[in-house]
Amino acid sequence: MAKAMPHTLGLTKPNSTDHPKVSLVFPFVSNDPPFKIRRFDRLRSISFAAKEIDVTEWKGDLLVVGVTEKDLTKDDGSKFENPILNKLDAHTIGLLGLVSSEEDFAGKPGQSTVLRLPGLATKRIGLIGLGKTASSSSPAAFHSLGEGVATVSKASQSSTVAVALASPESESKLSSASALASGVVLGLFEDGRYKSESKKPSLSSVDIIGFGTGPEVEKKLKYAEDVSYGVIFGRELINSPANVLTPAVLAEEAAKVASTYSDVFTANILNEEQCKELKMGSYLAVAAASANPPFFIHLVYKPSSGDVKTKLALVGKGLTFDSGGYNIKTGPGCSIELMKFDMGGSAAVLGAAKAIGEIKPPGVEVHFIVAACENMISGTGMRPGDVITASNGKTIEVNNTDAEGRLTLADALVYACNQGVDKIVDLATLTGACVIALGTSVAGIYTPNDELAKEVIAASEKSGEKLWRMPLEESYWEMMKSGCADMVNTGGRAGGSITAALFLKQFVSEQVQWMHIDMAGPVWNEKKKSGTGFGVSTLVEWVQTNSSS
C-alpha cells in the first residue's frame, strides 16, 4: 500500500475538538497519530423543541419574533394592529412599540433589534425583519430568520431561545420549521479550527413556537439538524487548507463516516496501484505530479433491512489543491490561493453521506464516489499535448492541464456506471465559465433526461439551493475534436461550461440517467471567507425522493 505523506507542512493542525471518539484502523495510513479534521458534532448540544404556548409566558434568555413590515402597522391610538405584537406591547406597558420605533425597526429583511424590557417572562425580546411577507412558498425566508436568530443569540450570549412569528404560518408549517432550525444551526457555525483562539456558542436550546407539535414536526426538526450537520462537515472539509487536507486525509475522513455508520455503510478506498489495475489513466495522469498520492473513495450506503428499489451514485470532484499544472493559474482573478475549495464537489458528496447515515432512508442504495488527488507541477506531471486513456478506453488529448477536474471525473463516472446504478449526479467546481454565466449564487445543471432534471430541481426547491438548467448543445462537440485522439479536454472559452458537460457525457453509459452540476460559483462565500457546503441539502432531498419513505 502507498504510504500517505506526513501531515507536517507548516506544522499546522486543527484545534482539538469535542467529537465522539471513533476507533478506526485506516488501512493505508501508517502509524501516524490520529488526525481529526471534523468538529461538526460540537453543536449537537443544541436541542430543538416545538411548542404551542403563549409567547408572553415563555421563560428564557431571549424571545425572538419574526416580523413583517405589515405586522408593524399601528392604529390611530399608536397600538399594534397585529394581535401578538399588541399583546407583547401591553405586557411591556407600551415600551415595545415605543422603543422599536426609536430604533427605526421597520421589519425589513436583515433588520433586527434586541431589547431588554420589563413585564415579560423572557429576559430579552428580539425582533427580526422578514420583509413584506414571510413567503411560505420558499424556505429562504425562514432559513434567513434562523440565521438571524443565531446572530442575535450570539450577540446577546443567550443560552435558551424561543422563536415565534408575529403572523403565524397557516400553511407549510413543517417545511418552515425545518428551514428555521437549519438556519439556526448553520448561522451558529464559525470555523475557528485554524485560529489560535476561537469562541464557542452559548446557545443550548431553541423552542419553536406556533409551528405545530407532535411526532411529525419533531421528525422534521431532527431531519433539519441531520442535514445541517452534513452541511457543516462539508464546510469544514472545504475550509481545511491543502497542507492539511491531502487526498489521504480526505479518504480518511470518508472512511470515518463509514465507520461511524457501519450498520449501513461500507468503504472501499483504492490506492494508486489498484486504480492502475482498473485502467484509470485519465485520473492518474492528473495525480502524477504530486508528492501526495491519490486515493479513490467509494462508500456504499445500503439500508439495514428491506428491499432496494433504486440505486443511485453521487460523484464529487476531489481536487484537494489545483495549481493548474503546467497551465499554471496566474494573474489577477485566478484564485490560486483559494484552490483548496476545488474539492467542493466531494465535500457535498461526503456531507450528504454523513446526513444519510443519520437519516437512513429505506429502499435506496447510494454510492458515494470521489477520485481524490492534487493537480501539481513536476517532472513526472501531465504535459500539454499528452494523450491519456480513460478506463472506458477513450483517448484524450490534453490541451490544457488546468481542465483537470473533468479528467478525474471521467474515470469516476465510468466506475459509477460499473456499479449497476440507475441514476448518477456528479458535482464539481468545474468551470469559471459557469460562474460568469450564473454568478456566485446559482449552480448550473446539465442532463439529457427531463425526469431527472425535474427530480433534482424539486429537491433544490425544498432545500433552498439555487439551480438553473443549462443546454447540452450537441453541436458544440465539434470544438472538442482532436486530430490525434478521440477528444481534447477543453474546447476554448465559448460555451466552456457546456463543452465541459459534453466531455463528461462521453463517460456515462446510455442506460444510466445522469446529471452534472457545475457548482463553481456557490461553493464559496467570499464575504464570510468560507466554504458554503452547497449541494449537501439538495442531494439528501433527492435521495429521500428516491427512497421508499
Side-chain angles (χ1 to χ4, degrees):
M1 293 288 184
K3 182 182 182 295
M5 296 294 289
H7 319 303
T8 57
L9 179 63
L11 303 180
T12 302
K13 290 186 178 182
N15 292 332
S16 59
T17 61
D18 299 325
H19 289 308
K21 293 182 179 178
V22 177
S23 175
L24 174 68
V25 178
F26 199 50
F28 56 79
V29 176
S30 64
N31 296 320
D32 293 336
F35 190 79
K36 293 183 173 67
I37 288 291
R38 301 172 294 169
R39 71 170 196 170
F40 51 78
D41 285 312
R42 74 200 186 290
L43 295 177
R44 281 290 186 185
S45 57
I46 302 173
S47 64
F48 288 87
K51 296 184 177 180
E52 292 289 344
I53 60 171
D54 187 331
V55 292
T56 62
E57 296 176 0
W58 182 83
K59 293 181 180 180
D61 293 333
L62 176 64
L63 170 66
V64 178
V65 183
V67 179
T68 67
E69 294 175 35
K70 184 179 178 181
D71 292 332
L72 293 171
T73 303
K74 294 180 179 178
D75 61 20
D76 295 337
S78 297
K79 301 293 184 184
F80 288 114
E81 293 182 359
N82 178 275
I84 289 180
L85 291 181
N86 185 278
K87 191 171 185 179
L88 289 166
D89 193 41
H91 276 72
T92 62
I93 323 172
L95 289 175
L96 178 62
L98 178 65
V99 176
S100 62
S101 297
E102 290 178 351
E103 293 284 327
D104 293 326
F105 179 80
K108 296 185 181 299
Q111 276 192 318
S112 65
T113 185
V114 177
L115 310 168
R116 184 187 284 272
L117 299 174
L120 294 172
T122 181
K123 292 179 182 177
R124 294 180 180 87
I125 183 168
L127 303 179
I128 294 181
L130 299 175
K132 294 185 182 297
T133 60
S135 173
S136 61
S137 62
S138 167
F142 294 96
H143 192 279
S144 296
L145 174 59
E147 290 181 330
V149 171
T151 299
V152 297
S153 72
K154 283 190 286 189
S156 61
Q157 296 185 321
S158 298
S159 176
T160 55
V161 173
V163 191
L165 299 180
S167 297
E169 278 282 275
S170 57
E171 299 179 1
S172 305
K173 286 187 176 183
L174 285 177
S175 59
S176 299
S178 176
L180 199 162
S182 176
V184 171
V185 174
L186 296 178
L188 282 175
F189 172 73
E190 292 181 8
D191 196 348
R193 291 169 302 154
Y194 301 98
K195 295 181 179 180
S196 57
E197 295 181 5
S198 60
K199 296 179 180 179
K200 292 184 178 180
S202 57
L203 185 60
S204 62
S205 69
V206 179
D207 292 340
I208 298 179
I209 301 172
F211 288 80
T213 59
E216 195 173 4
V217 66
E218 290 171 7
K219 182 180 178 181
K220 196 69 175 177
L221 291 176
K222 174 65 166 55
Y223 175 85
E225 289 183 74
D226 292 338
V227 174
S228 297
Y229 295 126
V231 173
I232 288 174
F233 180 32
R235 289 181 180 181
E236 291 188 334
L237 290 174
I238 293 168
N239 291 344
S240 294
N243 62 320
V244 173
L245 189 76
T246 62
V249 174
L250 183 61
E252 184 172 358
E253 289 300 317
K256 287 177 184 175
V257 172
S259 175
T260 302
Y261 306 104
S262 58
D263 58 326
V264 289
F265 265 100
T266 56
N268 186 21
I269 312 295
L270 306 180
N271 64 19
E272 187 172 2
E273 289 303 314
Q274 290 169 312
C275 291
K276 285 180 181 178
E277 291 174 10
L278 294 175
K279 303 185 185 304
M280 294 184 177
S282 185
Y283 162 47
L284 293 177
V286 177
S290 179
N292 289 307
F295 289 98
F296 192 93
I297 301 163
H298 181 201
L299 307 185
V300 182
Y301 165 84
K302 288 184 180 180
S304 56
S305 62
D307 295 332
V308 169
K309 298 180 180 178
T310 307
K311 293 184 179 182
L312 309 176
L314 306 179
V315 179
K317 177 182 171 182
L319 269 291
T320 58
F321 186 75
D322 176 22
S323 70
Y326 278 104
N327 293 106
I328 191 169
K329 296 177 184 291
T330 59
C334 73
S335 300
I336 191 171
E337 74 282 3
L338 291 177
M339 283 302 109
K340 64 181 182 181
F341 72 44
D342 213 20
M343 41 64 66
S346 67
V349 166
L350 296 179
K354 181 196 157 22
I356 288 167
E358 288 281 350
I359 297 165
K360 295 178 175 54
V364 61
E365 178 178 307
V366 190
H367 296 255
F368 304 84
I369 296 168
V370 175
C373 65
E374 294 179 327
N375 184 26
M376 301 296 284
I377 302 172
S378 78
T380 63
M382 173 178 67
R383 295 154 295 219
D386 284 356
V387 175
I388 60 180
T389 306
S391 49
N392 65 346
K394 292 188 177 181
T395 58
I396 306 157
E397 179 187 2
V398 179
N399 59 0
N400 189 330
T401 62
D402 195 23
E404 85 301 327
R406 64 198 69 183
L407 298 177
T408 66
L409 288 170
D411 282 326
L413 289 168
V414 172
Y415 182 93
C417 290
N418 289 339
Q419 306 310 306
V421 298
D422 304 303
K423 306 173 188 179
I424 298 174
V425 171
D426 80 69
L427 302 91
T429 48
L430 207 64
T431 67
C434 199
V435 184
I436 298 301
L438 298 177
T440 57
S441 297
V442 184
I445 62 172
Y446 296 86
T447 179
N449 189 280
D450 291 340
E451 286 305 312
L452 181 57
K454 289 177 183 177
E455 282 184 13
V456 177
I457 289 171
S460 75
E461 288 172 350
K462 289 182 180 180
S463 73
E465 295 179 326
K466 296 179 180 179
L467 304 179
W468 190 262
R469 190 176 184 185
M470 302 283 277
L472 268 175
E473 179 53 56
E474 292 289 345
S475 66
Y476 288 5
W477 185 247
E478 286 294 319
M479 292 187 279
M480 300 295 289
K481 291 186 176 179
S482 166
C484 62
D486 294 333
M487 67 195 84
V488 292
N489 70 322
T490 182
R493 292 176 61 84
S497 186
I498 298 173
T499 54
L502 289 170
F503 177 91
L504 296 179
K505 186 170 178 278
Q506 310 309 307
F507 303 91
V508 180
S509 167
E510 292 182 358
Q511 284 70 49
V512 178
Q513 296 182 37
W514 161 77
M515 173 182 285
H516 163 59
I517 301 180
D518 192 331
M519 52 180 283
V523 69
W524 186 255
N525 185 318
E526 181 58 29
K527 183 178 179 181
K528 295 182 179 179
K529 308 294 182 185
S530 172
T532 61
F534 184 91
V536 173
S537 301
T538 296
L539 292 181
V540 177
E541 286 286 353
W542 180 61
V543 170
Q544 283 283 92
T545 299
N546 282 274
S547 75
S548 55
S549 60

